[in-house]
mmCIF file of all heavy atoms in Angstrom:
data_model
loop_
_atom_site.group_PDB
_atom_site.id
_atom_site.type_symbol
_atom_site.label_atom_id
_atom_site.label_comp_id
_atom_site.label_asym_id
_atom_site.label_seq_id
_atom_site.Cartn_x
_atom_site.Cartn_y
_atom_site.Cartn_z
ATOM 1 N N THR H 117 -82.988 -156.303 -45.984
ATOM 2 C CA THR H 117 -81.602 -156.773 -45.849
ATOM 3 C C THR H 117 -80.866 -156.323 -47.117
ATOM 4 O O THR H 117 -81.498 -155.932 -48.107
ATOM 5 C CB THR H 117 -81.541 -158.313 -45.765
ATOM 6 O OG1 THR H 117 -82.052 -158.845 -47.001
ATOM 7 C CG2 THR H 117 -82.366 -158.845 -44.598
ATOM 8 N N ILE H 118 -79.536 -156.431 -47.098
ATOM 9 C CA ILE H 118 -78.749 -156.049 -48.279
ATOM 10 C C ILE H 118 -79.199 -156.870 -49.491
ATOM 11 O O ILE H 118 -79.345 -156.350 -50.602
ATOM 12 C CB ILE H 118 -77.222 -156.246 -48.025
ATOM 13 C CG1 ILE H 118 -76.733 -155.322 -46.897
ATOM 14 C CG2 ILE H 118 -76.416 -156.011 -49.300
ATOM 15 C CD1 ILE H 118 -76.777 -153.841 -47.192
ATOM 16 N N GLN H 119 -79.439 -158.172 -49.259
ATOM 17 C CA GLN H 119 -79.855 -159.050 -50.353
ATOM 18 C C GLN H 119 -81.208 -158.614 -50.928
ATOM 19 O O GLN H 119 -81.400 -158.547 -52.140
ATOM 20 C CB GLN H 119 -79.938 -160.504 -49.836
ATOM 21 C CG GLN H 119 -80.119 -161.562 -50.933
ATOM 22 C CD GLN H 119 -79.108 -161.434 -52.066
ATOM 23 O OE1 GLN H 119 -77.910 -161.327 -51.830
ATOM 24 N NE2 GLN H 119 -79.586 -161.417 -53.293
ATOM 25 N N GLN H 120 -82.137 -158.284 -50.035
ATOM 26 C CA GLN H 120 -83.470 -157.843 -50.482
ATOM 27 C C GLN H 120 -83.388 -156.495 -51.224
ATOM 28 O O GLN H 120 -84.136 -156.258 -52.172
ATOM 29 C CB GLN H 120 -84.412 -157.720 -49.280
ATOM 30 C CG GLN H 120 -84.833 -159.057 -48.689
ATOM 31 C CD GLN H 120 -85.535 -158.889 -47.344
ATOM 32 O OE1 GLN H 120 -85.193 -158.001 -46.546
ATOM 33 N NE2 GLN H 120 -86.523 -159.739 -47.078
ATOM 34 N N PHE H 121 -82.478 -155.641 -50.778
ATOM 35 C CA PHE H 121 -82.294 -154.325 -51.412
ATOM 36 C C PHE H 121 -81.982 -154.501 -52.899
ATOM 37 O O PHE H 121 -82.430 -153.724 -53.741
ATOM 38 C CB PHE H 121 -81.152 -153.566 -50.709
ATOM 39 C CG PHE H 121 -80.949 -152.155 -51.195
ATOM 40 C CD1 PHE H 121 -81.589 -151.090 -50.581
ATOM 41 C CD2 PHE H 121 -80.118 -151.881 -52.275
ATOM 42 C CE1 PHE H 121 -81.404 -149.776 -51.025
ATOM 43 C CE2 PHE H 121 -79.925 -150.584 -52.735
ATOM 44 C CZ PHE H 121 -80.568 -149.534 -52.102
ATOM 45 N N ASN H 122 -81.209 -155.547 -53.221
ATOM 46 C CA ASN H 122 -80.814 -155.795 -54.609
ATOM 47 C C ASN H 122 -81.993 -156.185 -55.500
ATOM 48 O O ASN H 122 -81.878 -156.163 -56.723
ATOM 49 C CB ASN H 122 -79.728 -156.882 -54.666
ATOM 50 C CG ASN H 122 -78.431 -156.413 -54.003
ATOM 51 O OD1 ASN H 122 -78.167 -155.209 -53.958
ATOM 52 N ND2 ASN H 122 -77.655 -157.331 -53.468
ATOM 53 N N ASN H 123 -83.121 -156.553 -54.889
ATOM 54 C CA ASN H 123 -84.318 -156.887 -55.679
ATOM 55 C C ASN H 123 -85.003 -155.632 -56.225
ATOM 56 O O ASN H 123 -85.927 -155.726 -57.018
ATOM 57 C CB ASN H 123 -85.320 -157.679 -54.829
ATOM 58 C CG ASN H 123 -84.769 -159.025 -54.415
ATOM 59 O OD1 ASN H 123 -83.919 -159.579 -55.112
ATOM 60 N ND2 ASN H 123 -85.220 -159.544 -53.288
ATOM 61 N N TYR H 124 -84.574 -154.467 -55.719
ATOM 62 C CA TYR H 124 -85.133 -153.184 -56.179
ATOM 63 C C TYR H 124 -83.988 -152.349 -56.747
ATOM 64 O O TYR H 124 -83.425 -151.492 -56.067
ATOM 65 C CB TYR H 124 -85.795 -152.444 -55.008
ATOM 66 C CG TYR H 124 -86.954 -153.179 -54.396
ATOM 67 C CD1 TYR H 124 -86.757 -154.046 -53.318
ATOM 68 C CD2 TYR H 124 -88.244 -152.999 -54.884
ATOM 69 C CE1 TYR H 124 -87.823 -154.722 -52.744
ATOM 70 C CE2 TYR H 124 -89.319 -153.672 -54.315
ATOM 71 C CZ TYR H 124 -89.098 -154.539 -53.248
ATOM 72 O OH TYR H 124 -90.160 -155.211 -52.691
ATOM 73 N N PRO H 125 -83.607 -152.620 -58.012
ATOM 74 C CA PRO H 125 -82.386 -152.010 -58.559
ATOM 75 C C PRO H 125 -82.365 -150.493 -58.627
ATOM 76 O O PRO H 125 -81.304 -149.892 -58.730
ATOM 77 C CB PRO H 125 -82.280 -152.616 -59.970
ATOM 78 C CG PRO H 125 -83.588 -153.278 -60.234
ATOM 79 C CD PRO H 125 -84.240 -153.562 -58.942
ATOM 80 N N LEU H 126 -83.549 -149.836 -58.574
ATOM 81 C CA LEU H 126 -83.574 -148.367 -58.647
ATOM 82 C C LEU H 126 -84.247 -147.759 -57.410
ATOM 83 O O LEU H 126 -84.749 -146.637 -57.466
ATOM 84 C CB LEU H 126 -84.306 -147.918 -59.923
ATOM 85 C CG LEU H 126 -83.711 -148.403 -61.252
ATOM 86 C CD1 LEU H 126 -84.625 -148.028 -62.415
ATOM 87 C CD2 LEU H 126 -82.312 -147.837 -61.481
ATOM 88 N N LEU H 127 -84.217 -148.478 -56.310
ATOM 89 C CA LEU H 127 -84.952 -148.046 -55.116
ATOM 90 C C LEU H 127 -84.497 -146.675 -54.613
ATOM 91 O O LEU H 127 -83.326 -146.455 -54.313
ATOM 92 C CB LEU H 127 -84.794 -149.094 -54.001
ATOM 93 C CG LEU H 127 -85.629 -148.870 -52.740
ATOM 94 C CD1 LEU H 127 -87.121 -148.748 -53.051
ATOM 95 C CD2 LEU H 127 -85.412 -149.994 -51.721
ATOM 96 N N GLY H 128 -85.461 -145.747 -54.575
ATOM 97 C CA GLY H 128 -85.210 -144.412 -54.035
ATOM 98 C C GLY H 128 -84.526 -143.451 -54.985
ATOM 99 O O GLY H 128 -84.143 -142.351 -54.594
#
Side-chain angles (χ1 to χ4, degrees):
T117 63
I118 297 294
Q119 190 51 49
Q120 288 169 325
F121 185 92
N122 294 333
N123 295 333
Y124 298 92
L126 301 173
L127 187 56

